Each structure stands twice: as structure tokens, then as C-alpha cells.
């Protein structure tokens, strides 16, 4: 960064206006503006007062180096690892600190070097490591504000784990703002926080909601592969994926209705009359249990809407209508067992 960019960055971090900074240094606001725009540079006698006002060293103030390339960044991290392995921790730490002062605005380096130092200080000096807490948390926070999306989320995750380890649950929860509400990792972190803070009911529910939501995602992804294999008439892959989808439904305790629904598609494609009949019969019999997952211990703390018997009756009726009209089932036309199945009435067995 150029000198003016360094001044502007740290002035804003201190929540100072150009006028306030000028007043404290005994210069005019336009002078500060010219420094930050790069039009002029401050007098050499002002460098130390500026650094003190901004809470940085003169070395940081005068750091004109551009951000390291990816290759340079990797080399710096490798060098840090070598020093942390071979040297006393404090020596390696001071070397890394000097490197970070050369690149004060490189979010990727702040985050990854901070994480590396943080892990090693717990390994090499677990009894006397709190003196570094404020420094590491400041590195993560700076990276969260200065990096691209991947750096911000990586630094936010590092700060989340740091705060969680320290029992600073409110601070840890603030880190979740850097993750999408749809992010499974965010939901998992939320559950972990509830558990750490002793909110066990909320933790159970958060874990269960995550399981339930991820089943839907995994099912859709696997079903996409399954459907493509069906379109390509790849019977081996279709059967294999059908088995996997059935196992998935069983693993997540979705009930026999969900398991049978997968097998029905594969059986229809193969025009396997026996398997199609078995799956269709199971679906009709289990229609009243299509929401049986609500009774599973896996989701014991979740709240589900109440489903009435009218809904299940409508579901059975729609299934029979589908079986009668969908062209995929026409290969069963004339099969006495199929006609009897479609003609069934009365209560669910």
C-alpha cells in the first residue's frame, strides 16, 4: 500500500475524521486529504506523531510493499512453519510479526499466519499462551474486513473457534454474520454454540434441523445422478443409485414410504412387474405413514406441522390416479394383480 492508503486505512479504523486527525496533529484538513490522495506526503517530523495517533509503528506507516503473490504467501507460511518447529516460540512469533507488519493489509496472510501461530502456541506453550490472545483476535478481525469472500469466511471461522475456545460465546456468534444463513457450516456452528453455552434443547433442535435439511440436499443431488442414468438407460447405475437412495432414506429414518418411492422409479424403468407392484403396494399401504419421520428419535426436538387423516386419504387417492393414468405404468395393463391394487378401497391396512 502507498503511504496515503496506510494513513487512510488506520484513520478509519480509529474512527477519526480528516478534520479530527488534522486538529490533533496541528495541520489543516486539506493537508490530511492530500496525504491520503497521494498528492503530497507528510513532513518527516510528523511521521512519529501520525504513527502514535493511529496506533501503529512507523515501520507500518512507511510500508509501501504490495501484497505478496500466492507463491510468495506460501513461501512465507512455509518459512513460518520451519521456524516454529526449530526455534523457541517467541523467536518465531516475533519473526512472523515483522512479516505481518510488512503486509498490514493482506487479509490472506493475516488470517493464515495468525491461525498458524495460534495453533503452534497451544502446542508449544499451553500453560502460558494467553498473552497472545488479543494479538491473534486482532489479526482475524482485520482479515475479516480486508480479504475477499474466501478469506473473510476463513478468518471468521478462525475467530469463531478462537472465541468459542475462550468461552466468549456472544463474540463467537457475531462471527456467524460472515456466513450465509443457508450455509450448513453456519448452522453447525450455531448448534455448537448452543451446546457450549448449556442451551441443550436449542442445540438438539439445531443439530436435528441441520440433519433434516441436509438430507433434502443430499437426496436431490443423488436423485439427479439417478435421473440422468435413467434417461441414458444405464440400468446398472440406475439400480446402484436406487439402492443408495433407499439406504439414504433408511439412514435418515424417512420411513418405508420414502424407501418404496425410490424403488418404484427404478422398477418402472426396467418394466419389472413384480418389483413395481411391490413398491406401489408398499406406498399405498404406507401413505398414512409418509410423515413417520416426525416420530423418529433423530428429529425428537423439531417441531412439525400436524398432518390430518384427510391429507393421507387424499395422498392415497392421488397415488391411485397416478398409477392409472401415467404412461410409465402401461406395461402393467391387464395384469390382474395391478387391477386389484388399483381397485382397492377402504381403510389403510
Amino acid at each position: 500500500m502507498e503511504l496515503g492508503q496506510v494513513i487512510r486505512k488506520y484513520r478509519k479504523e480509529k474512527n477519526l475524521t480528516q478534520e479530527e486527525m488534522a486538529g490533533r496533529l496541528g495541520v489543516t484538513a486539506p493537508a490530511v486529504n492530500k496525504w491520503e490522495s497521494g498528492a503530497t506526503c507528510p513532513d518527516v517530523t510528523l511521521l512519529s506523531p501520525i504513527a502514535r495517533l493511529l496506533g501503529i509503528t512507523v515501520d507500518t506507516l512507511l510500508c509501501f510493499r504490495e501484497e505478496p503473490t500466492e507463491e510468495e504467501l506460501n513461501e512465507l507460511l512455509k518459512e513460518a512453519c520451519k521456524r516454529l518447529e526449530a526455534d523457541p516460540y517467541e523467536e518465531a512469533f516475533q519473526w512472523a510479526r515483522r512479516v505481518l507488519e510488512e503486509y498490514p493489509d493482506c487479509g490472506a496472510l493475516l488470517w493464515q499466519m495468525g491461525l498458524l501461530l495460534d495453533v503452534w502456541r497451544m502446542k508449544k506453550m499451553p500453560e502460558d499462551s494467553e498473552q497472545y490472545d488479543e494479538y491473534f483476535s486482532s489479526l482475524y478481525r482485520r482479515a475479516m474486513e480486508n480479504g475477499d469472500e474466501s478469506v473473510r469466511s476463513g478468518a471468521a471461522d478462525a475467530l469463531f473457534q478462537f472465541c468459542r475456545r475462550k468461552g466468549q460465546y456472544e463474540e463467537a456468534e457475531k462471527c456467524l454474520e460472515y456466513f450465509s444463513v443457508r450455509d450448513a457450516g453456519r448452522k453447525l456452528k450455531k448448534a455448537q454454540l448452543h451446546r457450549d453455552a448449556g442451551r441443550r434443547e436449542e442445540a438438539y433442535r439445531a443439530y436435528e434441523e441441520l440433519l433434516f435439511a441436509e438430507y433434502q440436499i443430499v437426496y436431490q443431488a443423488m436423485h439427479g445422478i439417478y435421473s440422468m442414468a435413467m434417461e441414458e438407460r444405464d440400468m446398472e447405475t440406475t439400480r446402484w443409485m436406487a439402492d443408495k437412495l433407499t439406504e439414504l432414506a433408511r439412514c435418515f429414518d424417512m420411513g418405508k414410504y420414502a424407501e418404496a418411492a425410490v424403488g418404484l422409479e427404478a422398477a418402472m424403468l426396467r418394466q419389472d412387474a413384480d418389483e413395481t407392484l411391490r413398491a406401489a403396494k408398499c406406498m399405498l399401504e404406507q401413505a398414512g405413514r409418509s410423515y413417520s419421520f416426525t416420530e423418529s428419535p433423530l428429529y425428537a426436538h423439531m417441531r412439525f406441522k400436524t398432518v390430518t387423516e384427510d391429507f393421507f386419504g387424499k395422498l392415497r387417492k392421488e397415488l391411485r390416479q397416478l398409477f392409472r393414468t401415467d404412461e410409465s405404468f402401461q406395461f402393467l395393463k391387464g395384469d390382474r394383480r395391478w387391477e386389484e391394487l388399483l381397485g382397492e378401497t377402504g381403510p389403510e391396512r
Side-chain angles (χ1 to χ4, degrees), residues 20-63:
E20 289 171 333
M21 183 173 180
R24 297 191 191 187
L25 293 171
V27 297
T28 64
V32 175
N33 182 271
K34 287 181 180 179
W35 298 343
E36 293 186 358
S37 68
T40 62
C41 290
D43 188 273
V44 67
T45 59
L46 286 173
L47 294 180
S48 290
I50 290 172
R52 284 195 297 272
L53 176 61
L54 299 179
I56 58 177
T57 65
V58 174
D59 286 342
T60 299
L61 181 65
L62 295 176
C63 176

Side-chain angles (χ1 to χ4, degrees), residues 45-111:
T45 59
L46 286 173
L47 294 180
S48 290
I50 290 172
R52 284 195 297 272
L53 176 61
L54 299 179
I56 58 177
T57 65
V58 174
D59 286 342
T60 299
L61 181 65
L62 295 176
C63 176
F64 294 163
R65 298 187 66 170
E66 296 293 329
E67 288 195 3
T69 63
E70 186 173 349
E71 183 177 344
E72 290 171 334
L73 188 150
N74 289 333
E75 287 301 316
L76 288 171
L77 294 173
K78 286 179 183 178
E79 179 64 21
C81 282
K82 289 179 183 177
R83 289 174 180 266
L84 285 163
E85 288 176 356
D87 301 338
Y89 181 81
E90 182 61 23
E91 287 184 21
F93 172 81
Q94 292 301 336
W95 174 85
R97 188 167 189 163
R98 288 192 293 273
V99 169
L100 291 172
E101 286 173 352
E102 293 180 15
Y103 302 101
D105 202 36
C106 179
L109 185 61
L110 292 170
W111 155 46

Side-chain angles (χ1 to χ4, degrees), residues 88-145:
Y89 181 81
E90 182 61 23
E91 287 184 21
F93 172 81
Q94 292 301 336
W95 174 85
R97 188 167 189 163
R98 288 192 293 273
V99 169
L100 291 172
E101 286 173 352
E102 293 180 15
Y103 302 101
D105 202 36
C106 179
L109 185 61
L110 292 170
W111 155 46
Q112 294 181 69
M113 186 72 83
L115 186 59
L116 188 61
L117 293 170
D118 196 3
V119 169
W120 271 90
R121 64 95 177 242
M122 290 187 289
K123 180 178 179 180
K124 297 190 82 168
M125 46 189 307
E127 302 283 321
D128 183 30
S129 61
E130 291 186 358
Q131 59 181 303
Y132 301 99
D133 283 357
E134 186 175 347
Y135 181 70
F136 291 138
S137 64
S138 71
L139 292 182
Y140 298 144
R141 293 181 196 283
R142 284 163 58 192
M144 286 159 64
E145 299 301 327

Side-chain angles (χ1 to χ4, degrees), residues 253-257 286 288-296:
D253 221 356
M254 288 292 118
K256 294 189 178 298
Y257 179 89
Q286 293 294 322
R289 301 280 299 158
S290 56
Y291 274 60
S292 62
F293 57 82
T294 62
E295 301 167 9
S296 168

